[in-house]
Amino acid sequence: MLLCDVGNTSYHFLDQSHDYKESVVTFDPKTITQKVYYICVNPDIKESLDALQNWINLAEFIDKHPYYETMGIDRIVACEAVKNGVIVDAGSAITVDVVRDGHFEGGFIYPGTQAMRDTYTNISHALDYEFNYNLNLDIIPKNSQDALSYGYLKLLYNEVMMHKLEVILTGGDSVKLQHIFPDAKCENELLFNSMKKIIKKAKLC
Amino acid sequence: MLLCDVGNTSYHFLDQSHDYKESVVTFDPKTITQKVYYICVNPDIKESLDALQNWINLAEFIDKHPYYETMGIDRIVACEAVKNGVIVDAGSAITVDVVRDGHFEGGFIYPGTQAMRDTYTNISHALDYEFNYNLNLDIIPKNSQDALSYGYLKLLYNEVMMHKLEVILTGGDSVKLQHIFPDAKCENELLFNSMKKIIKKAKLC
């Protein structure tokens, strides 16, 4: 069974237990002839996939009533797999969603690590620093690298922890955020596992 | 007396009580022949101003020992004017500095409103929304505009309020942030007032 999570920058495939990525810029989905079960947050790509008979959009098999209309399908699929937790999905954007007792409470969107890094650099070259993921979140900084890192990471940390639920990390940059959330549960395959459950529930194969 | 606060995007002048801005791209500082007392965070412009005899750099008249080496001079000058408070200076970047009992505790840097807006839009056109400055910070959002606004504004709010000090708003975008910090003290002339005190203390005129 071939699964694919299409994001803003890449096609993320899972072929049995082997996962790999293809760039949204260079990859042609027509080159795949077998059946692909997918979700897609990129509106342009979604339109082109709609035209391909072997690409099955799992969004059509989910009850989206508990969520909101413009909510990214990746966030919905992640929430579907969680009973209690704050899901932090670190991709080109970081999405944070709160699920309590199986009920979606709401969520927010924050820039991904590369996007935020570019933001600071574009404001001024004086703000061109790598983030320090090992910074001490209890101390308000007195150096430039930590002042930027704190502005990005501590502010995210405060809000995530405020919900007093287990933190579930997923997405390509989850490894970086593990330093900030050392007690978080890392579920790199959260989306794919949820997609498998949806396929099973809808009896698609 | 002519004062100037040079930021990343504009020269901000105060001529007696009249303030006005000039773009860093188009304005030529040589066109001013009278004495100008200035501070400057832009390294390239600072170098060109150093060559002009009538532009007096106030950075040279401040004891920078309580601060850190790469800290922006605008932040230092703002801190010099405050005894107790969290100073939120909303320009192309938002700088947040904590001063308690006249002692600088530290600070952090966060993207300015336009920079953060561009960040979201660059991640995906699906994130192209104006911020809702009137959003309810007590409710985790269930719509896209508020999910972005919350990601930007609530996270800033949490951290600023955590220090349990008076919030002092300044900078070009302080009006927008007033909705988020309704109890804040707005001091649009915080920097210029501090510059005047520095001039007086150093007996420059």
Side-chain angles (χ1 to χ4, degrees):
Chain A
M1 181 162 52
L2 186 60
L3 303 177
C4 187
D5 162 31
V6 189
N8 291 307
T9 55
S10 60
Y11 290 78
H12 188 190
F13 286 98
L14 182 75
D15 188 358
Q16 307 301 332
S17 62
H18 167 61
D19 82 301
Y20 57 98
K21 287 187 178 180
E22 301 283 358
S23 160
V24 293
V25 181
T26 54
F27 181 72
D28 179 2
K30 286 194 213 80
T31 57
I32 297 188
T33 52
Q34 72 182 108
K35 204 175 260 184
V36 190
Y37 298 96
Y38 79 95
I39 55 168
C40 178
V41 293
N42 186 315
D44 297 335
I45 293 178
K46 201 189 144 291
E47 201 172 317
S48 70
L49 296 180
D50 277 346
L52 302 176
Q53 271 205 330
N54 62 318
W55 285 72
I56 315 294
N57 188 356
L58 289 179
E60 291 163 21
F61 302 92
I62 301 166
D63 172 16
K64 290 191 277 298
H65 182 257
Y67 306 100
Y68 61 86
E69 202 186 330
T70 54
M71 186 169 167
I73 189 67
D74 51 350
R75 294 171 60 195
I76 293 176
V77 168
C79 289
E80 287 285 298
V82 170
K83 182 122 198 248
N84 276 294
V86 181
I87 306 161
V88 179
D89 187 345
S92 49
I94 294 177
T95 56
V96 178
D97 288 300
V98 180
V99 184
R100 202 181 301 267
D101 299 327
H103 168 74
F104 169 64
E105 291 197 336
F108 65 91
I109 304 169
Y110 199 57
T113 60
Q114 188 57 49
M116 195 68 149
R117 172 98 170 70
D118 293 345
T119 303
Y120 284 122
T121 308
N122 290 339
I123 291 171
S124 166
H125 288 302
L127 305 183
D128 185 9
Y129 289 90
E130 295 289 340
F131 291 124
N132 171 15
Y133 290 94
N134 295 308
L135 94 160
N136 184 339
L137 297 179
D138 295 327
I139 298 172
I140 185 157
K142 282 194 174 183
N143 69 73
S144 290
Q145 188 190 22
D146 286 356
L148 295 168
S149 307
Y150 189 99
Y152 181 44
L153 300 168
K154 172 73 186 316
L155 274 57
L156 176 65
Y157 175 85
N158 285 340
E159 177 64 28
V160 167
M161 299 311 283
M162 210 165 266
H163 297 279
K164 300 190 185 307
L165 285 168
E166 182 176 49
V167 177
I168 300 160
L169 278 182
T170 190
D173 281 336
S174 58
V175 176
K176 292 177 183 169
L177 295 187
Q178 259 182 286
H179 298 283
I180 303 300
F181 301 103
D183 298 328
K185 189 169 154 189
C186 286
E187 288 206 35
N188 289 329
E189 303 223 326
L190 180 70
L191 277 188
F192 289 134
N193 289 339
S194 184
M195 287 167 75
K196 284 177 192 167
K197 279 186 205 163
I198 292 160
I199 290 166
K200 202 172 169 187
K201 197 175 161 196
K203 296 177 182 162
L204 292 176
C205 75
Chain B
M1 180 161 53
L2 187 60
L3 303 177
C4 187
D5 162 32
V6 190
N8 290 306
T9 54
S10 59
Y11 289 79
H12 188 190
F13 286 98
L14 182 75
D15 188 357
Q16 308 301 334
S17 62
H18 167 62
D19 83 301
Y20 57 97
K21 287 187 177 179
E22 301 283 357
S23 161
V24 294
V25 180
T26 54
F27 180 72
D28 179 2
K30 287 195 211 78
T31 57
I32 296 190
T33 52
Q34 71 181 109
K35 204 175 259 186
V36 190
Y37 298 97
Y38 79 95
I39 55 169
C40 178
V41 293
N42 186 314
D44 297 334
I45 293 179
K46 202 190 144 293
E47 201 172 317
S48 69
L49 296 180
D50 278 345
L52 303 176
Q53 271 205 328
N54 61 318
W55 285 72
I56 315 294
N57 188 357
L58 288 179
E60 290 162 21
F61 301 93
I62 300 166
D63 172 17
K64 290 191 277 297
H65 181 256
Y67 306 99
Y68 62 85
E69 201 185 331
T70 53
M71 185 168 166
I73 188 66
D74 51 349
R75 293 171 60 194
I76 293 176
V77 168
C79 289
E80 287 286 298
V82 169
K83 182 123 199 244
N84 277 293
V86 182
I87 306 161
V88 179
D89 187 345
S92 50
I94 294 178
T95 57
V96 178
D97 288 299
V98 180
V99 183
R100 201 181 301 268
D101 299 327
H103 168 74
F104 169 65
E105 292 197 334
F108 66 90
I109 303 170
Y110 199 57
T113 60
Q114 188 57 49
M116 195 68 148
R117 173 97 171 69
D118 293 345
T119 304
Y120 283 122
T121 309
N122 290 340
I123 292 171
S124 166
H125 287 302
L127 305 183
D128 184 7
Y129 288 90
E130 295 290 340
F131 290 124
N132 171 14
Y133 290 94
N134 295 308
L135 93 161
N136 185 339
L137 297 179
D138 296 327
I139 298 173
I140 186 157
K142 281 193 174 183
N143 68 73
S144 290
Q145 187 190 23
D146 286 356
L148 296 168
S149 307
Y150 190 97
Y152 181 44
L153 300 168
K154 172 75 187 312
L155 276 56
L156 176 64
Y157 175 85
N158 285 341
E159 177 65 27
V160 167
M161 299 312 283
M162 208 165 267
H163 297 279
K164 300 192 187 305
L165 285 168
E166 181 176 49
V167 178
I168 299 160
L169 278 183
T170 189
D173 281 337
S174 58
V175 176
K176 292 176 182 169
L177 295 187
Q178 259 183 285
H179 297 285
I180 303 301
F181 301 104
D183 298 327
K185 189 168 154 189
C186 286
E187 288 205 34
N188 288 329
E189 304 224 324
L190 180 70
L191 278 188
F192 288 133
N193 288 339
S194 183
M195 287 166 76
K196 283 178 193 168
K197 278 186 206 164
I198 292 160
I199 290 166
K200 201 172 170 186
K201 197 174 161 194
K203 297 178 184 163
L204 292 175
C205 74

